[in-house]
Amino acid sequence: MENQLITLLRIKTHNLGSFVKDKLESNGIEVFFTNENLSKSDKYNPNEVLLKVKAKETEKAIQILLRIHKDYDLDKIKEDIGFTDLRKILVPVKLSEDCIELCRYAFSLAKKTKAEVKLLYVYTDPTFNEPDKHTASWEKHVRMELEEAFQKAQLKLVNFSRKLQKQIPKEILDNVKIHYRMLKGTPVNVITDACKRYEPNVIVMGANTQKSEDGEFYGKTLLKVIENTQYPVLTVPESASFKGKEKINVMYATNFYDSDNSSLNKLLDILKEFDKKIHCVHIDLQDDPHHQEKVEELNKMLDQNYSEHNIKCVLFESENILKGFDDFIKANDIDIISISKVKHSAFYKLFHSDLSAQLVTTEKVPVLIFPV
C-alpha cells in the first residue's frame, strides 16, 4: 500500500505543475507525474498530466494543496515566466542500477548549470502487438493488462526514487529540481515526442550498448533518438563521472561546416557556467594543404567573434576518424566531445554505420551532439 501512488490533481500547464511540486516537496512530499488514466473522452492536451503522491502522504498533501489554493493566485502562476526561463535537462531512464550513476551525472550538471531535471521512464505498452478486437471480454482483458503494466511501472518508479535518495548526496538533491514522468509506449517515439513538449536544453542519455533483460534503452534506441530529435543529446558512458573540475577541456570536432558558428553558440550556451578551453579540431585524413588554410580562416573568425572565449582551431592528422578522436582526447585531457549532426556529412554518415556505436558508446568521455 505504501508504494501505491494516489492521484491528487490534474495539471494542465508546466508552470503550475512546477509550482505545486515545489510546494509539496518543500514539505517533504515526493511528487510523480503521469498521463496514464486520463479520460479519453476529454479534449487532448499533450501537456496535461496527473500529479500523484505516495498513499501514506495523501492526507498531508491535501492539506498543503488547500493552503496553496487559499494563499496563491494560480491563474497568475500559470503565466509566470520565472518557470519558463528555467534551463531544462531531460533524462530518459530505464530504472536499473546503472541509471543511478547517469542520474548522479545529470543532477551534478543541473546543479552547475542551474537547471531542472525531468526523469522520464518509458514502460512497454502490453497491447502494442495485440490484435484489435472489440468484444466485451477482450476489452476487459486489455484493461486488465494495461492496469497491471501501469501498477508494475509505478512500483518500479517509486522504488527507483528511493534508491536515488539513498545513493545521491543530499547536498546535490537539495539543490536540484527533479521531476518524475512516466509514459507508456516505445522509447524512441515517447522520448522524441516528450522533447517537442518539454523543449529541453539538453537530453542526457546513458551510452550503454548492452541489452537489459527487457530490452530497454540500448545502442539502437540512443542512436535513433540522436537521429530523430532536434535537441542536443549528451551521451554519458558508464565510466564517466562529473568531476567538478575548475576548468574543463572541450573537443569540438569540425569538418568546416557553415553551421560551425551556430553549433559553437549552442555549445557555449550549454557550458556557460563552466570555465573552459575549447579545442576546435579537424581530423585530417588526407594531409590536404587546403585544410590548413581553412583552419587559419576559422581561427580568424574565432578571434573576431569569440575573443572573450578560449577557443583555438587545430588540424590533427590521423589514419582514421575514430583513432584521431582517441589520440586527441588522450593528448589533451579532454572532458567532453562535441560534434554537429549535419545530414549528408561525413559525421552524419558515421551514425548510420557500425562505427556509430564505437564513437558514442566506447569513448571514455561524454559526447555532446548538436542537430544543425
Side-chain angles (χ1 to χ4, degrees):
M1 178 65 178
E2 64 175 10
N3 288 328
Q4 183 179 357
L5 296 180
I6 304 298
T7 300
L8 289 190
L9 198 62
R10 178 179 291 212
I11 301 289
K12 295 187 177 182
T13 71
H14 176 72
N15 292 1
L16 184 58
S18 294
F19 177 80
V20 174
K21 175 183 177 294
D22 288 349
K23 292 298 179 183
L24 290 172
E25 293 193 342
S26 67
N27 285 273
I29 298 173
E30 197 167 18
V31 173
F32 302 82
F33 293 109
T34 178
N35 63 356
E36 192 71 20
N37 295 330
L38 281 172
S39 173
K40 294 182 179 179
S41 62
D42 293 340
K43 185 177 179 180
Y44 177 66
N45 178 357
N47 295 314
E48 191 169 0
V49 293
L50 300 178
L51 183 150
K52 301 191 172 200
V53 300
K54 296 174 184 176
K56 64 180 181 180
E57 297 175 335
T58 302
E59 184 176 346
K60 182 180 177 182
I62 290 174
Q63 292 174 354
I64 295 169
L65 287 176
L66 291 173
R67 289 206 305 270
I68 292 174
H69 277 283
K70 179 180 178 181
D71 296 341
Y72 297 93
D73 184 340
L74 297 185
D75 288 332
K76 289 184 178 179
I77 290 170
K78 291 177 184 177
E79 307 300 326
D80 187 348
I81 62 171
F83 288 100
T84 58
D85 287 343
L86 282 174
R87 300 174 71 82
K88 296 178 284 189
I89 298 175
L90 180 68
V91 187
V93 289
K94 60 180 182 287
L95 308 186
S96 61
E97 286 297 326
D98 58 331
C99 281
I100 299 292
E101 292 308 310
L102 176 66
C103 290
R104 188 193 304 270
Y105 190 101
F107 296 164
S108 299
L109 177 64
K111 182 174 180 287
K112 178 70 175 180
T113 59
K114 300 177 177 61
E116 68 173 27
V117 176
K118 177 172 286 189
L119 298 181
L120 173 62
Y121 174 49
V122 183
Y123 70 99
T124 304
D125 183 349
T127 66
F128 181 72
N129 291 317
E130 291 186 353
D132 188 14
K133 297 182 180 180
H134 300 286
T135 64
S137 60
W138 181 257
E139 290 178 357
K140 181 179 179 180
H141 166 73
V142 168
R143 286 196 298 270
M144 290 176 63
E145 272 196 309
L146 291 172
E147 181 61 24
E148 181 181 4
F150 174 70
Q151 293 298 335
K152 286 182 178 179
Q154 183 173 269
L155 179 60
K156 285 183 68 175
L157 186 60
V158 171
N159 288 336
F160 184 75
S161 73
R162 287 178 173 172
K163 290 180 181 179
L164 287 179
Q165 291 172 1
K166 290 180 180 179
Q167 298 186 42
I168 305 296
K170 189 174 184 296
E171 191 270 335
I172 294 178
L173 293 177
D174 287 348
N175 287 279
V176 178
K177 291 183 177 180
I178 303 168
H179 303 274
Y180 292 91
R181 186 75 184 269
M182 187 176 80
L183 297 172
K184 178 179 75 224
T186 57
V188 174
N189 292 338
V190 172
I191 294 168
T192 52
D193 287 346
C195 287
K196 293 173 185 177
R197 297 191 298 270
Y198 187 55
E199 298 182 340
N201 295 91
V202 66
I203 308 163
V204 176
M205 294 184 70
N208 181 7
T209 55
Q210 300 300 315
K211 288 186 179 180
S212 61
E213 292 180 1
D214 50 8
E216 292 180 296
F217 296 117
Y218 56 101
K220 289 183 179 179
T221 298
L222 171 61
L223 294 176
K224 285 180 180 178
V225 170
I226 292 171
E227 182 178 351
N228 293 327
T229 187
Q230 292 303 307
Y231 295 89
V233 178
L234 177 64
T235 68
V236 182
E238 288 184 272
S239 59
S241 61
F242 193 89
K243 300 174 183 178
K245 293 169 61 176
E246 289 188 8
K247 187 171 186 176
I248 62 172
N249 290 307
V250 182
M251 176 185 179
Y252 172 74
T254 179
N255 202 27
F256 308 118
Y257 304 125
D258 292 337
S259 58
D260 275 337
N261 194 60
S262 173
S263 296
L264 278 173
N265 287 336
K266 293 177 183 177
L267 177 64
L268 290 169
D269 180 60
I270 288 178
L271 300 179
K272 70 178 182 180
E273 301 296 335
F274 292 86
D275 184 9
K276 55 199 168 289
K277 179 178 182 180
I278 299 178
H279 305 261
C280 186
V281 183
H282 176 74
I283 307 297
D284 188 15
L285 305 179
Q286 302 172 336
D287 193 21
D288 188 337
H290 295 295
H291 288 168
Q292 185 59 47
E293 294 175 8
K294 291 182 178 180
V295 166
E296 292 172 1
E297 290 177 7
L298 190 51
N299 275 324
K300 288 181 181 178
M301 184 276 289
L302 293 172
D303 288 340
Q304 290 176 355
N305 300 332
Y306 298 92
S307 57
E308 71 274 27
H309 300 287
N310 189 358
I311 309 175
K312 189 73 174 177
C313 187
V314 297
L315 204 63
F316 193 79
E317 295 183 4
S318 181
E319 299 170 3
N320 62 67
I321 290 178
L322 288 176
K323 187 176 186 303
F325 272 90
D326 289 337
D327 291 344
F328 192 88
I329 289 167
K330 293 174 183 175
N332 294 276
D333 190 26
I334 296 298
D335 298 291
I336 186 171
I337 305 167
S338 177
I339 61 176
S340 297
K341 185 192 73 175
V342 182
K343 288 191 174 184
H344 310 304
S345 73
F347 282 124
Y348 181 79
K349 293 175 183 176
L350 192 63
F351 286 98
H352 295 274
S353 70
D354 292 338
L355 295 179
S356 59
Q358 295 179 48
L359 175 64
V360 176
T361 64
T362 65
E363 292 294 352
K364 303 293 190 208
V365 299
V367 179
L368 180 61
I369 300 124
F370 289 106
V372 292

